[in-house]
Amino acid sequence: MRLTRYFLPVLKENPAEAQIASHRLMLRAGMIRQQAAGIYSWLPLGYRVLRRIEQIVHEEQQRAGHIPLLMPTLQPADLWRESGRYDDYGKEMLRIRDRQDRDLLYGPTNEEMITDIFRAHVGSYKDLPLTLYHIQWKFRDEMRPRFGVMRGREFLMKDGYNFDIDRDAALHAYNRHMVSYLRTYERMGLTAIPMRAASGPIGGDDTHEFLVLAATGESEVFYDDRVTALKLGARAIDYDDRDQVAAVCREFTTLYARTDETHDPAVFETVPEAHRKVGRGIEVGQIFYFSTKYSEPMGAFVTNAAGERVPVHMGSHGIGVSRLVGAIIEASHDDRGIVWPEGVTPFPVGIVNLKQGDGAADAACAGLYAALTARGLEPLYDDRDERAGAKFATMDLIGLPWRITVGPRGLAAGKVELTCRRTGDGEEMSPEAAVDRLAGIYAGH
Ligand code: P5A
């Protein structure tokens, strides 16, 4: 993409309404625009990141054997009357009446609707296990929408729902989600710690939240800091292997890590003092096992192997897709701007032409652009007629992990400079070597 043909409305000044870094940087980098309290348009740069995050979520869900579908944002109120949640949900639910006077709502979550789909089409244990998920906009009329996309009213969520024949099978689905979430967050360059939590309006006894540690997080967290060193890494996971998946979950949930809702000071005291930490975290996901809470009242029954009709065991599992954009920035920025992890960056590399209009510089940039594109690495090429300082400031603000700087002086020696956004370190090399280096870096992403 050439910057002169793109739409990147960066702001020079710090927006007064933004209280935290991620909100400020998303506005300044031209990623979002607020349309109403807690409701945002995703401008092209922000939209690219959102799509990258969605893509990673899709890949990891499908790797775990979960099946994508798409349910609507609007739901009939009658479904929620069946589960009993229509009245319970209170003012957070946006209620709508259509021209026929039928009650609708803008879905805050989809347990009822997916249960309806299940009961209409599945009747036998032979069709289980089954996990369906979608990535869809939600609406919750939050009392205090704030921090930009972090606590929105309209927000994008991945929500998945498992259907299993009994408690053991459903707990395997729970564990499978935990492991697939760990991999999902790691691919985004995040450390998200599973913490025992409370279930709120979704229900059930087993639930973990995934928290990214950040001073601006909304949840208070208590943890043994050795938990932050745990990594899933590149190890192979067989998602059908119940023991292996359960062992990974034990590895990640044995050390003390809880939110304030489940914190137990007496147990926390048993953590060695040097490792006992109190901090704040951003909740980027939550998984639940709630047994037959929805299947029983809504009549989602299957015939088991003995020929009896039994309610299915269910759980639901959410990732805050739009919130993640903010959470990643909170975890990865400096005083000059965003520092995208390679896994989610809107463009893998920026090209800065120090002397637009110079024949050799323009030709070298065009050559780099073509070579990078041919390797699947679409660059953002700053081809504006601007001072070098202004170009560098824009690149630093929008946070592309790598930058190639092209100028007549370097080119005279056959060199361009490849610079790492995170460290600021630059290295001179031939344009071909820069392309090869980047192809190597991105091969794993
Ligand atoms: C699990 C999937 C659920 O709704 N039902 C379907 C279950 N869980 S949850 O914890 O309430 O939400 C899942 C994740 O969505 C994100 N989230 C939000 N993101 C932005 N703005 C909001 N107002 C908001 N509310 C929830 C969180 O990341 C949460 O973990």
Side-chain angles (χ1 to χ4, degrees):
M1 179 58 64
R2 297 174 79 112
L3 198 45
T4 52
R5 296 182 194 168
Y6 201 41
F7 180 62
L8 184 69
V10 299
L11 305 180
K12 290 226 163 42
E13 305 300 325
N14 270 330
E17 72 267 33
Q19 295 162 282
I20 63 171
S22 58
H23 188 197
R24 189 167 64 241
L25 290 170
M26 286 182 77
L27 291 168
R28 283 201 52 210
M31 295 176 64
I32 51 170
R33 175 169 175 77
Q34 182 175 310
Q35 307 291 175
I39 301 178
Y40 291 87
S41 288
W42 289 80
L43 305 182
L45 193 77
Y47 187 55
R48 282 183 87 103
V49 178
L50 194 66
R51 284 279 168 268
R52 283 290 309 141
I53 291 173
E54 275 191 273
Q55 181 63 29
I56 291 173
V57 170
H58 273 301
E59 286 172 14
E60 293 308 324
Q61 284 304 299
Q62 289 170 52
R63 199 193 303 280
H66 307 158
I67 303 169
L69 82 173
L70 185 60
M71 292 177 270
T73 53
L74 295 184
Q75 306 187 18
D78 280 344
L79 272 183
W80 287 65
R81 293 196 174 102
E82 286 188 54
S83 71
R85 281 208 294 182
Y86 189 63
D87 295 325
D88 292 354
Y89 228 93
K91 281 192 177 301
E92 261 198 20
M93 180 184 277
L94 180 64
R95 296 156 206 262
I96 302 162
R97 185 158 290 164
D98 71 12
R99 66 202 295 168
Q100 318 285 359
D101 268 348
R102 279 182 294 239
D103 291 326
L104 299 173
L105 56 100
Y106 194 126
T109 177
N110 283 59
E111 279 80 6
E112 284 78 359
M113 186 168 278
I114 200 81
T115 306
D116 175 64
I117 292 172
F118 180 90
R119 70 182 172 187
H121 299 288
V122 183
S124 163
Y125 75 98
K126 292 183 187 150
D127 298 321
L128 305 183
L130 179 65
T131 296
L132 301 168
Y133 78 93
H134 70 164
I135 298 179
Q136 178 61 291
W137 295 94
K138 304 286 184 284
F139 194 93
R140 294 182 184 173
D141 205 348
E142 301 274 356
M143 180 98 103
R144 286 182 61 199
R146 58 181 187 155
F147 299 160
V149 300
M150 212 67 105
R151 177 165 297 280
R153 292 196 297 162
E154 189 187 46
F155 60 96
L156 192 59
M157 191 200 288
K158 170 266 160 180
D159 42 322
Y161 306 85
N162 68 287
F163 301 92
D164 286 278
I165 191 66
D166 57 24
R167 178 183 160 80
D168 278 358
L171 287 176
H172 172 56
Y174 184 89
N175 290 343
R176 207 173 56 228
H177 280 86
M178 184 179 290
V179 176
S180 69
Y181 278 23
L182 290 170
R183 174 147 287 165
T184 302
Y185 299 125
E186 279 188 19
R187 280 188 63 187
M188 297 175 189
L190 286 175
T191 302
I193 304 164
M195 299 199 181
R196 188 158 285 287
S199 65
I202 306 293
D205 296 327
D206 292 286
T207 181
H208 281 86
E209 287 179 358
F210 292 77
L211 287 117
V212 173
L213 297 176
T216 49
E218 292 193 285
S219 316
E220 189 172 24
V221 295
F222 302 81
Y223 60 101
D224 180 328
D225 69 356
R226 287 170 291 185
V227 79
T228 60
L230 299 175
K231 291 275 174 295
L232 198 58
R235 70 179 98 167
I237 305 282
D238 174 356
Y239 282 106
D240 290 330
D241 182 338
R242 287 192 187 189
D243 295 338
Q244 187 202 17
V245 170
V248 175
C249 292
R250 269 196 307 280
E251 180 185 333
F252 280 83
T253 56
T254 300
L255 290 168
Y256 192 94
R258 297 196 189 182
T259 65
D260 48 1
E261 293 161 334
T262 58
H263 176 54
D264 181 338
V267 184
F268 195 44
E269 283 289 305
T270 65
V271 175
E273 202 179 343
H275 292 295
R276 226 181 286 153
K277 293 277 155 40
V278 180
R280 303 200 70 81
I282 302 167
E283 180 203 325
V284 292
Q286 187 162 5
I287 56 176
F288 302 82
Y289 165 59
F290 42 67
S291 180
T292 58
K293 171 175 172 174
Y294 299 91
S295 56
E296 231 161 346
M298 294 187 66
F301 285 63
V302 293
T303 307
N304 67 13
E308 301 149 351
R309 298 286 290 163
V310 292
V312 281
H313 285 248
M314 292 173 59
S316 71
H317 315 275
I319 292 181
V321 173
S322 48
R323 174 177 290 183
L324 271 166
V325 181
I328 292 167
I329 297 174
E330 277 313 309
S332 188
H333 69 272
D334 61 19
D335 52 5
R336 287 174 294 144
I338 302 167
V339 183
W340 290 115
E342 273 92 357
V344 297
T345 185
F347 293 92
V349 55
I351 302 175
V352 167
N353 187 343
L354 291 179
K355 196 154 188 208
Q356 205 68 44
D358 175 89
D362 290 0
C365 288
L368 274 167
Y369 193 103
L372 287 162
T373 305
R375 305 283 280 265
L377 301 170
E378 189 195 349
L380 181 65
Y381 171 23
D382 191 343
D383 59 342
R384 295 173 302 166
D385 189 12
E386 275 278 1
R387 288 177 303 110
K391 292 190 176 188
F392 290 150
T394 300
M395 283 294 172
D396 285 348
L397 173 64
I398 68 172
L400 308 184
W402 298 93
R403 185 185 81 207
I404 302 178
T405 310
V406 180
R409 205 174 317 141
L411 283 178
K415 304 273 176 155
V416 296
E417 190 181 56
L418 180 64
T419 309
C420 173
R421 172 66 180 85
R422 188 173 296 281
T423 62
D425 294 341
E427 199 183 323
E428 295 213 323
M429 60 184 81
S430 69
E432 298 74 25
V435 173
D436 283 344
R437 177 79 65 85
L438 288 167
I441 289 166
Y442 280 101
H445 291 280

